[in-house]
């Protein structure tokens, strides 16, 4: 199945090198920003305003400090009031900006996840053969979150930091060029430190994300396979495997921690150097009573130097966000760019309610085109006939059903319904004419009633009960604590195999399809349930075309025609009697499988 695994899922394995990061997908995220452009613009204006006003505080404090020695009381009162009002305005603007950004961010998340979910429902089953559910989920949840953090948080912080950095440099140069230039000596040092540690930190962070993903994958596998683990007493082996994964994660986290632990103290030391320079040089100038330098000026400069380092540290985090989001954007667009393997073609027509004539005309098909599973198969089911497909496991029976439902498309030949090639009609109108009951009955969370209604949401309670009664499910449903309103737990864990099957029959009967497709389970149910299921099937087959992968003897005997398939080839066709007389594959299969069948089967099959 992994024939295009190399393309998909590449982003889930191993360590992505920084040089392999593809930034072009980041640009495409703007399609999610477009609808929120006005709000984003408002947020940007607010961010710039907040950063600009934030720079005014130290200026006022410097004036206050210079006014105190002069003893100007009115001036002092005025400046303190202005300072408070300024901080009040900043607080209000901050609130507005944070709120607008959270709203926009959440809307974008909503938009991206919805797009992904809708697209995932359109993708063919080949996509799900390739990627594990956990990995697809991680894209809808974590990757979308990473992109969103950059778009709604990182980008704006970057803007604010740039305004702050350049604003501070401008004001310092304006106030006192020599003092400013003295302080700026530390800037190259700072950039060198950031640049040197940054590259290493980024690599370490990425390794961490991968290691965490490994832990998650290992956990998911272990938890879902717990029954097998315990049955085969593999607990110790599994614990060792997990410890190993855990250990690797610990080491890579500690590598990052070391760098991190080094980064901030270094930045602080450089900051302290800058402040020391201000005091030393400013102090020397004051000794020779330079009028340009006052206590206020020195405070102003120390204040700004401390503020200068915050934004530069932030640039580091934003860069990490950019890298993370670039990888995530690639992973999200990889899903969005995957073209469904089966699509409506231009001008596909709506299929009306069909009579139910199904024809496989010389069909060739393989999940991997190099390895065909079916070779030139011809099958016909006329209106209201029941045909049975029989054959060893892996013979290609399920593929026939997959093709009829158009989960995959044929590579050669054609599948016809009522004379239409199914590739010429819309997928939805085709599937609306079909009822599909698969071997592994899927029960969704919700009530029993909801589950039966799944194929026809508008059905009344009476219709639901009628369908359940017809297939013999009413009895066990009524015995449940809340009858049809009983909540079914995830995957229907409180129902037996037989009960789940009857529910799926009721679901199919209520949808009343023209063509019924049934993959009969060989589930070991007791003779009594077997009898109920038998009656239910007879009810289901009435008045519609039925195509059954048959395991039950009674179904096979009552079928209008039996197709014996082996290794993708049609070996024999005929009724039960004809095939028994012809002494071929069917007879040997039959004798192997059905000797010593429970009586219920034989009795109802006659």
């Amino acid at each position: 199945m992994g024939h295009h695994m190399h393309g998909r899922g590449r982003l889930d394995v191993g360590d992505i090198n920084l040089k392999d990061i593809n930034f072009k997908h980041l640009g495409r995220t703007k399609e999610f920003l477009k609808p929120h452009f006005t709000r984003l613009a408002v947020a940007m204006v607010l961010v710039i305003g907040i950063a600009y006003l934030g720079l005014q505080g130290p200026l006022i404090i410097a004036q206050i400090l210079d006014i105190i020695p002069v003893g100007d009381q009115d001036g002092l009162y005025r400046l303190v009031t202005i300072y408070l009002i300024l901080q009040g305005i900043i607080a209000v603007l901050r609130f507005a900006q944070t709120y607008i950004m959270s709203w926009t961010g959440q809307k974008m998340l909503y938009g991206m996840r919805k797009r992904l979910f809708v697209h995932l429902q359109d993708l063919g089953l080949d996509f799900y053969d390739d990627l594990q559910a956990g990995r697809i989920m991680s894209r809808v949840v974590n990757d979308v979150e990473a992109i969103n953090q950059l778009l709604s948080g990182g980008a704006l912080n970057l803007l604010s930091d740039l305004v702050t950095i350049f604003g501070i440099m401008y004001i310092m140069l304006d106030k006192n060029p020599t003092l400013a230039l003295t302080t700026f000596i530390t800037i190259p040092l700072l950039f060198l430190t950031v640049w040197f540690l940054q590259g290493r930190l980024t690599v370490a962070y990425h390794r961490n994300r991968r290691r965490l993903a490994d832990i998650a994958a290992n956990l998911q596998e272990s938890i879902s396979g717990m029954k097998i683990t315990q049955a085969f007493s593999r607990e110790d082996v599994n614990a060792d495997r997990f410890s190993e994964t855990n250990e690797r994660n610990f080491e890579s986290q500690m590598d990052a921690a070391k760098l991190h632990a080094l980064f901030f103290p270094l930045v602080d030391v450089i900051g302290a150097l800058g402040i020391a320079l201000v005091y030393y040089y400013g102090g020397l100038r004051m000794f020779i009573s330079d009028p340009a330098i006052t206590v206020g000026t020195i405070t102003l400069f120390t204040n700004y130097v401390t503020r200068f380092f915050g934004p530069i540290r932030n640039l580091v985090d934003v860069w990490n966000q950019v890298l993370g989001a670039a990888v995530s954007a690639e992973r999200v667009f990889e899903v969005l760019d995957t073209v469904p393997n089966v699509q409506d073609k231009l001008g596909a027509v709506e299929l009306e309610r069909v009579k139910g004539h199904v024809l496989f005309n010389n069909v060739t098909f393989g999940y991997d085109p190099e390895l065909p599973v079916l070779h030139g198969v011809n099958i016909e089911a006329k209106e209201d006939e029941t045909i049975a497909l029989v054959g060893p496991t892996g013979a290609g029976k399920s593929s026939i059903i997959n093709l009829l439902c158009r989960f995959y498309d044929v590579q050669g030949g054609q599948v016809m319904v009522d004379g239409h090639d199914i590739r010429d009609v819309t997928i939805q109108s085709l599937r609306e004419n079909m009822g599909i009951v698969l071997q592994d009955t899927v029960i969704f969370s919700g009530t029993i009633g909801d589950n039966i209604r799944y194929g026809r949401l508008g059905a009344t309670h009476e219709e639901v009960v009628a369908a359940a009664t017809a297939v013999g499910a009413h009895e066990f449903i009524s015995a449940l604590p809340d009858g049809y309103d009983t909540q079914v737990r995830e995957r229907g864990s409180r129902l037996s195999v037989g009960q789940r099957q009857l529910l799926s029959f009721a679901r199919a009967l209520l949808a009343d399809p023209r063509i019924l497709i049934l993959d009969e389970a060989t589930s070991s149910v007791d003779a009594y349930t077997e009898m109920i299921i038998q009656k239910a099937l007879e009810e289901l087959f009435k008045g519609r075309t039925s195509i059954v992968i048959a395991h039950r003897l009674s179904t096979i005997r009552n079928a209008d025609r039996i197709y014996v398939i082996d290794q993708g080839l049609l070996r024999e066709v005929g009724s039960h009697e004809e095939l028994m007389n012809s002494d071929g594959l069917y007879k040997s299969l039959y004798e192997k499988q059905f000797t010593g069948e429970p009586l219920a089967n034989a009795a109802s099959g006659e």
Side-chain angles (χ1 to χ4, degrees):
M1 288 303 326
H3 53 281
H4 33 214
M5 197 53 215
H6 55 273
R8 244 179 248 143
R10 168 184 80 77
L11 303 171
D12 282 305
V13 289
D15 299 328
I16 287 193
N17 282 324
L18 294 185
K19 61 172 188 299
D20 295 342
I21 291 184
N22 185 343
F23 290 99
K24 74 164 191 278
H25 295 281
L26 261 187
R28 295 178 55 191
T29 54
K30 64 175 180 291
E31 59 185 88
F32 295 113
L33 286 171
K34 256 196 206 119
H36 311 298
F37 194 72
T38 6
R39 277 198 173 77
L40 279 171
V42 172
M44 279 168 127
V45 172
L46 285 172
V47 162
I48 294 172
I50 292 166
Y52 172 75
L53 292 175
L55 295 175
Q56 307 309 308
L59 284 170
I60 299 172
I61 288 175
Q63 280 172 289
I64 291 176
L65 287 173
D66 286 341
I67 243 177
I68 292 172
V70 185
D72 174 359
Q73 216 171 339
D74 293 343
L76 182 63
Y77 174 74
R78 195 180 74 247
L79 285 170
V80 171
T81 315
I82 290 176
Y83 181 73
L84 283 175
I85 291 173
L86 178 73
Q87 297 306 326
I89 293 173
I90 291 178
V92 171
L93 293 182
R94 269 237 158 90
F95 168 80
Q97 185 248 319
T98 310
Y99 182 81
I100 290 177
M101 266 335 286
S102 304
W103 191 92
T104 314
Q106 289 306 319
K107 272 293 196 206
M108 268 169 9
L109 266 182
Y110 172 85
M112 276 191 253
R113 289 203 175 125
K114 189 169 162 189
R115 267 279 297 281
L116 268 169
F117 187 80
V118 170
H119 189 71
L120 283 170
Q121 298 206 82
D122 288 341
L123 285 180
L125 298 182
D126 63 331
F127 180 80
Y128 297 95
D129 297 336
D130 276 357
L131 271 185
Q132 295 149 302
R135 300 204 184 270
I136 297 174
M137 278 158 62
S138 143
R139 295 185 184 207
V140 180
V141 181
N142 310 347
D143 287 320
V144 168
E145 183 65 66
I147 297 173
N148 190 48
Q149 273 179 350
L150 174 71
L151 296 182
S152 62
L156 283 182
N157 292 342
L158 181 65
L159 189 63
S160 159
D161 292 335
L162 291 174
V163 172
T164 307
I165 290 173
F166 288 113
I168 288 177
M169 288 171 84
Y170 175 77
I171 295 174
M172 282 165 80
L173 284 167
D174 184 50
K175 280 282 168 216
N176 193 317
T178 30
L179 189 52
L181 292 170
T182 315
T183 332
F184 291 165
I185 294 172
T186 55
I187 293 181
L189 265 178
L190 189 64
F191 272 110
L192 275 173
T193 313
V194 171
W195 181 74
F196 175 73
L197 284 174
Q198 191 34 48
R200 292 182 161 71
L201 253 177
T202 308
V203 174
Y205 278 143
H206 273 277
R207 205 169 8 197
N208 283 355
R209 281 181 60 175
R210 290 277 162 266
R211 295 287 170 267
L212 273 175
D214 292 344
I215 285 192
N218 188 324
L219 258 180
Q220 197 222 350
E221 199 173 86
S222 309
I223 291 170
S224 49
M226 197 54 82
K227 202 172 182 177
I228 307 281
T229 304
Q230 293 179 355
F232 287 96
S233 314
R234 281 204 28 130
E235 290 93 339
D236 295 347
V237 185
N238 274 14
D240 292 343
R241 263 184 56 203
F242 187 71
S243 298
E244 208 177 292
T245 315
N246 223 345
E247 187 72 31
R248 280 210 306 272
N249 179 48
F250 172 76
E251 282 162 12
S252 81
Q253 294 284 357
M254 286 319 294
D255 287 345
K258 253 184 266 172
L259 290 166
H260 217 254
L262 197 62
F263 182 70
F264 291 108
L266 270 175
V267 171
D268 290 342
V269 166
I270 296 171
L273 179 66
I275 290 172
L277 281 171
V278 173
Y279 280 132
Y280 184 67
Y281 181 76
L284 287 180
R285 299 299 301 170
M286 276 183 87
F287 289 161
I288 57 165
S289 52
D290 175 347
I293 296 217
T294 58
V295 174
T297 318
I298 290 180
T299 326
L300 176 73
F301 271 65
T302 48
N303 234 327
Y304 276 151
V305 169
T306 359
R307 286 191 176 208
F308 196 77
F309 289 94
I312 287 190
R313 273 182 186 171
N314 291 347
L315 293 179
V316 172
D317 294 336
V318 172
W319 177 238
N320 267 330
Q321 273 187 333
V322 168
L323 292 173
V327 174
S328 287
E330 192 171 351
R331 290 162 53 110
V332 166
F333 282 110
E334 187 182 48
V335 175
L336 289 176
D337 293 343
T338 303
V339 179
N341 61 342
V342 174
Q343 278 179 312
D344 285 343
K345 64 182 206 186
L346 280 171
V349 292
E350 292 284 320
L351 194 56
E352 301 298 314
R353 190 161 169 81
V354 300
K355 296 199 171 63
H357 178 247
V358 174
L359 182 67
F360 275 68
N361 189 356
N362 200 12
V363 167
T364 302
F365 168 72
Y367 297 96
D368 178 345
E370 310 291 302
L371 306 164
V373 190
L374 298 175
H375 313 267
V377 171
N378 292 298
I379 295 175
E380 181 176 21
K382 298 195 184 72
E383 217 174 305
D384 298 348
E385 278 188 333
T386 298
I387 63 163
L389 307 175
V390 185
T393 318
K397 303 186 296 290
S398 309
S399 304
I400 291 175
I401 284 184
N402 283 339
L403 289 174
L404 180 54
C405 304
R406 226 185 139 202
F407 291 139
Y408 298 89
D409 271 335
V410 298
Q411 269 120 32
Q414 49 190 166
V415 179
M416 316 281 283
V417 170
D418 280 15
H420 294 274
D421 184 320
I422 60 172
R423 286 169 294 188
D424 298 338
V425 300
T426 62
I427 295 172
Q428 194 173 352
S429 67
L430 171 73
R431 292 186 189 154
E432 278 168 359
N433 274 294
M434 304 202 177
I436 305 168
V437 181
L438 295 175
Q439 194 166 347
D440 180 21
T441 306
V442 179
I443 303 290
F444 296 95
S445 50
T447 64
I448 297 254
D450 294 338
N451 267 290
I452 296 178
R453 244 186 226 103
Y454 199 79
R456 197 171 112 217
L457 300 175
T460 62
H461 181 65
E462 286 68 39
E463 291 174 307
V464 170
V465 176
T469 313
V471 297
H474 182 67
E475 195 179 323
F476 87 80
I477 297 176
S478 314
L480 291 169
D482 303 322
Y484 286 84
D485 294 328
T486 307
Q487 286 288 335
V488 191
R489 280 206 300 268
E490 196 184 352
R491 309 284 301 175
S493 53
R494 52 168 73 168
L495 301 174
S496 73
V497 178
Q499 291 173 331
R500 288 210 290 260
Q501 250 196 321
L502 292 175
L503 268 193
S504 70
F505 291 165
R507 188 189 284 168
L509 186 64
L510 185 66
D512 190 24
R514 286 302 302 129
I515 299 171
L516 175 73
I517 296 170
L518 177 66
D519 188 348
E520 244 182 13
T522 40
S523 43
S524 39
V525 288
D526 55 89
Y528 173 68
T529 316
E530 179 73 50
M531 224 158 66
I532 298 181
I533 288 180
Q534 199 40 59
K535 286 211 182 67
L537 285 178
E538 280 162 27
E539 193 58 45
L540 269 179
F541 293 155
K542 256 184 228 158
R544 68 184 93 239
T545 307
S546 307
I547 296 172
V548 193
I549 292 185
H551 299 286
R552 291 192 174 82
L553 174 55
S554 39
T555 314
I556 300 174
R557 281 194 179 167
N558 297 338
D560 292 297
R561 249 188 328 290
I562 300 168
Y563 288 85
V564 185
I565 295 158
D566 184 27
Q567 293 175 346
L569 291 162
L570 197 55
R571 301 283 180 181
E572 300 174 286
V573 184
S575 67
H576 175 68
E577 278 69 32
E578 289 165 11
L579 294 173
M580 282 307 276
N581 295 335
S582 73
D583 214 19
L585 179 65
Y586 178 77
K587 189 173 180 187
S588 63
L589 270 175
Y590 177 86
E591 282 168 351
K592 257 205 297 259
Q593 194 178 349
F594 298 121
T595 36
E597 272 288 298
L599 284 173
N601 248 351
S604 59
E606 288 312 324

